[in-house]
Amino acid sequence: MAQHQVNYSQDGGLPIALTSIDKVVNWGRSNSLWAMTYGLACCGIEMMASGASRFDFDRFGTIFRASPRQSDLMIVAGTLTKKHAEFIKRLYDQMAEPRWVISMGSCANTGGMFNTYATVQGVDRIIPVDLYLPGCAPRPETLQYAVMMLQKKIRAEKAGKAQRPKRLL
Amino acid sequence: MRAYKPKDDVQKKSYYTDRYWIAPQVPTSKVEDDAVFAADLAAIKAKFDVSDAYIQVEQMVVYIKPEDNYAVLELLRDELGYTQLSEMSAIDWIAKQGQFEIFYQMLSMSKRKRLRIKCFIDEKQAIESVSPLFRSADWSEREMYDMFGTIVNNHPYMKRILMPDDWEGHPLRKTYPLQGDEFAAWYEVDRIYGKEARAIIGPEIRDSAEVDRLDTERFSRLGFEVPMGAEPKAADAEPTVETLQEEGGVFLVEKFDEADGHIIEDRKR
């Protein structure tokens, strides 16, 4: 029978690591960001490439879910039309808190080149956005970097506190 | 001789237009030049009124009366071998002549020919649906109604196809503004949050280069650092050319001292 050896002269004398609740909760949250499948246009292709084997989102703990109920992260990848605006709001409301939004690409950020009657001029008119990712379309590496930046942001948040009130109603 | 066009509004135009530019025209030829088309046209003319017909880019164009559209297309499909309606839509000529031009692009696989049936309808005039003849006309006519507001009679499901059902206006009309009217600008805000939210969300930013210096949430301040979310102060306002240099304004715009200047008497000096 193997004996459990504890070296009391190392590791502060105990076989445990001390941390705070915030850190351990945010460690879990930031390393299992389940993203909702939300490809709206050509940015969606880059988002799919990011999830596939070459760029491999799985190593960040980011796996795509087909349901808002199971998702923490909404990557709005592509042009949001005015007809579709109410559905993005509904899907965002269906996501359980805490939830985050990455606005991916110029179209989602500002309407981009679609300065027309039918395009929402920035997805932040409908839902609050945590991270704006520029590019048309952003490369998968850029989306990976955006997710890493979002992880950094999550790790800096308070775990217990409800999310900061957003700009939208 | 070139037709005279009034040029009084040249100053109002935001872009340069050449006064002597003439729009290039695709050359047309007579229908008799092509034996197949000549026979087709004779078959149409035997039963219906044809106001004009010519061949352009190897395709025959035939102008008919709008009431005859169903019967002409039926004749083309059943007797002349034009079995496919590859495209149809409308063209907005309301500013020019108060009418829409409806076109039906036909294809005959057996004859290896394409022809186009055209007709004019007034703005409020309805046209008969050809979707019983061609299934492809079903969605095309819905799109035509959605984009131009042309009413189609006896369509099985006359409803908007691209824009939302509660949309106002028909976007492909020449009078429809590209960036949308008042209704379009607030559509998603009104629909999701209600009209009360307009003041909070604010109007759409259509200027792609817009920078709001006092907005510390979304823009960084150039020159000196300000914490995010800080309230703007009056001193943060950007100096303008109206502000003098002595009063903290822009460089080289100084207060004029009369003692330093002198008046030139001889204007031709």
Side-chain angles (χ1 to χ4, degrees), chain A residues 47 49 80 101 105 112 123 152 164:
Chain A
M47 189 179 72
L80 180 66
V101 175
V123 70
K152 253 180 122 171
R164 189 165 75 84

Side-chain angles (χ1 to χ4, degrees), chain B residues 157-176:
Chain B
Y157 192 55
M158 201 68 246
K159 185 172 172 285
R160 281 183 185 272
I161 190 167
L162 295 173
M163 304 310 292
D165 291 345
D166 55 349
W167 193 263
E168 281 177 17
H170 300 282
L172 271 189
R173 288 194 180 194
K174 301 280 186 200
T175 48
Y176 195 89

Side-chain angles (χ1 to χ4, degrees), chain B residues 47-157:
Chain B
K47 289 183 183 173
F48 306 103
D49 283 346
V50 173
S51 57
D52 192 12
Y54 52 83
I55 294 178
Q56 202 170 35
V57 204
E58 299 176 3
Q59 299 179 16
M60 182 164 71
V61 181
V62 182
Y63 283 88
I64 58 163
K65 288 205 288 190
E67 305 85 52
D68 297 336
N69 71 331
Y70 186 92
V72 167
L73 262 62
E74 195 173 31
L75 174 79
L76 284 171
R77 187 190 71 169
D78 296 340
E79 293 172 30
L80 302 179
Y82 289 88
T83 50
Q84 290 184 27
L85 175 67
S86 50
E87 195 181 353
M88 63 151 295
S89 190
I91 303 165
D92 183 345
W93 292 116
I94 287 176
K96 194 178 161 196
Q97 60 198 54
Q99 285 178 312
F100 287 112
E101 187 177 345
I102 313 280
F103 65 89
Y104 301 92
Q105 178 77 16
M106 311 294 296
L107 167 65
S108 170
M109 299 289 275
S110 55
K111 293 179 179 173
R112 287 183 280 170
K113 291 281 185 192
R114 289 176 195 272
L115 73 78
R116 187 152 59 247
I117 300 293
K118 287 189 165 196
C119 59
F120 286 101
I121 58 165
D122 294 335
E123 193 178 347
K124 304 274 171 139
Q125 190 183 342
I127 196 158
E128 185 69 19
S129 169
V130 294
S131 61
L133 292 171
F134 298 99
R135 294 291 299 275
S136 66
D138 187 336
W139 282 17
S140 295
E141 280 171 346
R142 281 178 64 186
E143 186 184 348
M144 186 172 81
Y145 163 71
D146 192 355
M147 292 288 131
F148 293 97
T150 53
I151 302 145
V152 181
N153 281 342
N154 298 325
H155 188 279
Y157 192 55

Side-chain angles (χ1 to χ4, degrees), chain A residues 37-49:
Chain A
T37 311
Y38 215 121
L40 290 172
C42 31
C43 281
I45 304 295
E46 301 294 310
M47 189 179 72
M48 291 173 223

